[in-house]
Amino acid sequence: MQDLFSLKGKVALVTGAAYGIGFAVAEALAKAGAAIAFNCRSREHMNTALAEYAKKGISAKGYLCDVTDEEQVKNMVEDIAKTLGTIDILVNNAGIIKRIPMVEMTAEEFREVVDIDLNAPFLVSKAVIPGMIQKGGGKIINICSMMSELGRETVSAYAAAKGGLKMLTKNIASEYGEYNIQCNGIGPGYIATPQTAPLRERQADGSRHPFDKFIIGKTPAARWGTPEDLMGPAVFLASAASDFVNGHILYVDGGILAYIGKQP
């Protein structure tokens, strides 16, 4: 059973894995035996992340790369193949969110979110799939969201991109499943990361943020998730344990999508 979940000898690329969800996923894959590569757009962030990986005893390799730039992505994938080997596992994690009412959002802001959250996973997947085919298989994990299923005020671009990423996941599975490539998604619920910190800030009177109270009330687990909650699902979808799972979105949300909420 341990061998079924082992990633020993595998090479994993986790985009945007300098902190938060991406860092936790990369840490989990490393602990399961995989060699880790990740990208950053800034050398400063990359160096900070490398120091954090070293503290965990993980010998990760960082690459300066903007995943919305096809040429940079191609070069990064080629560099990884030369230094670590052909990529076996890709986790498309890099993403941003802009919380702006739709009528106040500029077209440029909308495009930026879609470019990073949807176009980039397309570009990186496109770059790694040929190597996976040549190697005889591979795993692609797209970090989706509950917003792949639901809408909410102020996140039109994010929800549109994550909904598109869900369908990209299904299409990659459909198009490349015959090559022993499994493409699945993880849909985190509300996770306590720096990105969601503003939604959890205490108010001036010491009370909880209204959105914080709302999420706790909507989640059967009665808490925010942690990046560590995503470790097990990531290892499962990256390992041989999921070889007949394809085109699936695994929602790790504490039960929010299953729950209508408490009666007032």
Side-chain angles (χ1 to χ4, degrees):
M1 184 57 68
Q2 287 181 339
D3 290 343
L4 195 60
F5 290 89
S6 173
L7 302 179
K8 188 175 180 180
K10 302 295 184 181
V11 176
L13 167 61
V14 185
T15 67
Y19 60 88
I21 288 173
F23 187 94
V25 168
E27 180 184 353
L29 300 185
K31 288 180 175 178
I36 302 298
F38 71 98
N39 79 292
C40 282
R41 289 191 291 183
S42 110
R43 184 169 294 280
E44 180 183 358
H45 288 162
M46 186 175 76
N47 290 339
T48 300
L50 287 170
E52 291 301 313
Y53 280 114
K55 287 180 185 177
K56 298 277 188 179
I58 298 169
S59 180
K61 288 193 177 293
Y63 295 83
L64 284 175
C65 176
D66 178 349
V67 287
T68 67
D69 185 310
E70 187 166 15
E71 191 64 26
Q72 289 188 37
V73 168
K74 179 183 176 183
N75 291 337
M76 175 178 66
V77 169
E78 289 176 352
D79 287 347
I80 293 170
K82 291 174 184 175
T83 56
L84 296 177
T86 302
I87 294 167
D88 300 284
I89 302 158
L90 166 64
V91 182
N92 283 309
N93 166 77
I96 62 169
I97 188 170
K98 291 182 181 291
R99 298 182 180 92
I100 305 170
M102 193 176 89
V103 296
E104 298 174 16
M105 176 174 262
T106 66
E108 183 180 356
E109 288 169 331
F110 188 93
R111 290 190 189 103
E112 182 183 4
V113 174
V114 173
D115 204 22
I116 295 172
D117 293 6
L118 179 57
N119 291 343
F122 162 75
L123 292 176
V124 186
S125 298
K126 176 184 173 184
V128 305
I129 285 172
M132 289 180 172
I133 292 174
Q134 188 173 11
K135 201 168 185 177
K139 304 280 186 174
I140 298 175
I141 303 170
N142 292 324
I143 302 300
C144 295
S145 168
M146 288 193 310
M147 297 300 109
S148 298
E149 299 290 341
L150 302 172
R152 188 174 65 74
E153 299 85 354
T154 77
V155 293
S156 58
Y158 183 79
K162 292 298 186 178
L165 186 57
K166 175 184 74 173
M167 294 312 300
L168 179 63
T169 301
K170 292 177 180 291
N171 201 81
I172 292 173
S174 301
E175 197 165 350
Y176 296 101
E178 66 179 292
Y179 299 101
N180 191 32
I181 294 172
Q182 291 84 50
C183 182
N184 295 289
I186 294 177
Y190 282 89
I191 307 295
T193 66
Q195 194 176 46
T196 59
L199 304 176
R200 291 177 282 109
E201 289 178 349
R202 288 283 176 172
Q203 304 302 284
D205 62 2
S207 63
R208 301 178 84 154
H209 190 291
F211 192 80
D212 186 13
K213 291 191 286 188
F214 168 70
I215 291 303
I216 297 300
K218 280 290 293 179
T219 306
R223 67 174 177 87
W224 287 67
T226 67
E228 290 72 24
D229 287 320
L230 302 170
M231 287 180 158
V235 171
F236 166 64
L237 291 177
S239 71
S242 61
D243 278 356
F244 204 56
V245 179
N246 213 357
H248 177 72
I249 312 299
L250 175 54
Y251 289 101
V252 186
D253 64 358
I256 291 180
L257 288 175
Y259 188 42
I260 196 172
K262 290 183 180 179
Q263 181 177 338

